[in-house]
Amino acid sequence: MAAYQSISVDNHQEDDHETGRSHPNNNGASPPTLPQNQRLFSASCLVVVALVVITCDWTRLRLVSHKNHSSSVVEEYETSTETIKNLPSLPTGVNFGSWLSLEDWFFVGTNGAVEVASPDDAVAATCLPPLHLDGSTGPRWNSETDLLAGLAGHYKQESMEDEGGATLGGYPNDKAQSLGEWGKAVRAIHAFRSSYFDFETELKTMRELGIKYARVPVSWCWTDHDPAQMVEKDEDGGLVYMSDEEVVEKYTCKDPFHDDVYWPAIPRNLVQRFLRACAKHGIGATLDIHTLPGGTSIGTFSGVWPRYARFWTHGDVPALDYNSRPDIG
């Protein structure tokens, strides 16, 4: 049976290093030693293995971190989407205020509106674009009947001051070569109504924004005549201007309860074009009769302000103002 000798390497390691001697084995031979290049190769392998382990661990950590971040982004997106879905529904209807039924507080300029129903001692409106822009192009006004009369008076005064001069828009004041004061007043109001908004482009945009319904306040006064027909061409190509008498007959409505009060009529073909455009773009329209003959309530929206309403009394009993004075109608 072979016997094994126990050798303590620790006890002799330092001595052997100093003397350069090696202990013989049982057979008297020295133990084999690794060459220098082989030791370097082994160390290199250990370093490579360590680097591979570190790289794999770093990659694993990055993947876990990216996964957690992606989950966080998805959760945040889902939360945002859910929040948007839970928002209250946006309005699906609009109001075309002061287009076909004028109210002064829409046209106060830079002065600011007094209130929705301007007091009878306040004249709020200063303009009606695009032709009436300031005090040089027309009067301040309370309601649409007040505006129509004021514009006619403005153009009459302008004509008297300069018979041969030019007036707003390049139209001469010579009555033989232009509209009279009532024709110019109707033209100014029709220019506003025609340029209030573009039926095709703006209705299309509103529908894309989710608008489905439109409310249109209108007055009771309508006409089958087109204001464009106030100026026509004769056989020789010259311009023929409609007389003021014909303008008043075709494009205004005389109020039955107030003396010398005329309403600017709404052209039927203008409203028809609007309704067809609404139908084309899938928008439902409600025509709201906003005024009645004589006026139905105090305030600019009555159409006859600062006159007091007479619709309910049929004009038999003149209304009184706050100081118990009869109204000016």
Side-chain angles (χ1 to χ4, degrees):
M1 183 173 181
Y4 293 91
Q5 181 181 6
S6 175
I7 301 175
S8 174
V9 176
D10 293 334
N11 294 336
H12 305 283
Q13 183 175 7
E14 185 176 350
D15 294 339
D16 292 344
H17 176 71
E18 292 177 353
T19 60
R21 294 176 299 162
S22 59
H23 293 280
N25 59 11
N26 294 340
N27 298 324
S30 299
T33 59
L34 294 175
Q36 182 70 20
N37 58 348
Q38 193 170 358
R39 289 198 301 271
L40 291 175
F41 177 76
S42 300
S44 300
C45 289
L46 290 174
V47 171
V48 170
V49 171
L51 288 175
V52 170
V53 171
I54 294 172
T55 302
C56 291
D57 191 55
W58 178 83
T59 303
R60 181 182 62 81
L61 292 174
R62 288 285 297 170
L63 290 175
V64 171
S65 175
H66 178 72
K67 181 178 180 181
N68 292 338
H69 175 70
S70 299
S71 300
S72 175
V73 171
V74 170
E75 290 175 1
E76 181 178 351
Y77 172 77
E78 290 177 349
T79 302
S80 300
T81 305
E82 193 64 28
T83 301
I84 293 174
K85 289 180 180 179
N86 292 333
L87 287 175
S89 298
L90 297 176
T92 58
V94 294
N95 175 58
F96 293 124
S98 210
W99 173 34
L100 300 179
S101 180
L102 297 178
E103 300 181 30
D104 65 352
W105 59 282
F106 281 81
F107 308 96
V108 296
T110 58
N111 297 325
V114 179
E115 55 182 272
V116 175
S118 300
D120 52 4
D121 60 348
V123 184
T126 62
C127 61
L128 189 77
L131 298 185
H132 175 19
L133 301 177
D134 53 39
S136 67
T137 57
R140 297 176 69 95
W141 53 278
N142 294 95
S143 60
E144 60 185 71
T145 58
D146 184 48
L147 171 64
L148 180 62
L151 285 171
H154 171 81
Y155 293 128
K156 181 179 181 178
Q157 183 66 30
E158 190 180 63
S159 178
M160 292 172 61
E161 291 175 355
D162 185 8
E163 285 290 341
T167 187
L168 187 64
Y171 286 83
N173 279 321
D174 185 349
K175 290 186 178 181
Q177 303 178 41
S178 72
L179 292 168
E181 57 262 25
W182 284 95
K184 292 174 183 176
V186 169
R187 183 193 65 200
I189 293 176
H190 183 62
F192 164 74
R193 289 169 171 170
S194 300
S195 61
Y196 185 84
F197 70 105
D198 185 277
F199 293 166
E200 289 300 322
T201 59
E202 295 187 58
L203 287 176
K204 179 177 181 293
T205 299
M206 284 189 285
R207 189 64 185 89
E208 291 172 349
L209 292 173
I211 301 300
K212 300 178 182 178
Y213 311 101
R215 172 182 178 260
V216 186
V218 299
S219 81
W220 65 278
C221 177
W222 291 52
T223 180
D224 289 326
H225 302 284
D226 186 345
Q229 298 171 349
M230 292 191 301
V231 180
E232 296 182 326
K233 289 185 177 181
D234 59 20
E235 295 178 355
D236 300 325
L239 298 179
V240 179
Y241 299 94
M242 187 177 291
S243 67
D244 268 353
E245 292 76 12
E246 190 174 359
V247 167
V248 171
E249 178 185 354
K250 290 183 175 180
Y251 301 104
T252 71
C253 301
K254 189 178 187 307
D255 193 281
F257 303 130
H258 292 282
D259 296 334
D260 298 323
V261 173
Y262 294 85
W263 295 72
I266 300 171
R268 189 183 302 272
N269 66 341
L270 175 67
V271 179
Q272 288 173 334
R273 288 194 295 108
F274 166 72
L275 294 177
R276 291 191 185 101
C278 284
K280 175 181 177 181
H281 296 293
I283 297 177
T286 299
L287 302 181
D288 170 21
I289 305 298
H290 214 52
T291 64
L292 292 172
T296 56
S297 59
I298 61 173
T300 179
F301 44 80
S302 72
V304 298
W305 192 250
R307 296 169 177 84
Y308 275 51
R310 291 186 175 181
F311 177 80
W312 304 111
T313 64
H314 302 283
D316 297 332
V317 181
L320 302 178
D321 65 11
Y322 296 112
N323 296 316
S324 299
R325 297 174 301 188
D327 71 70
I328 65 174

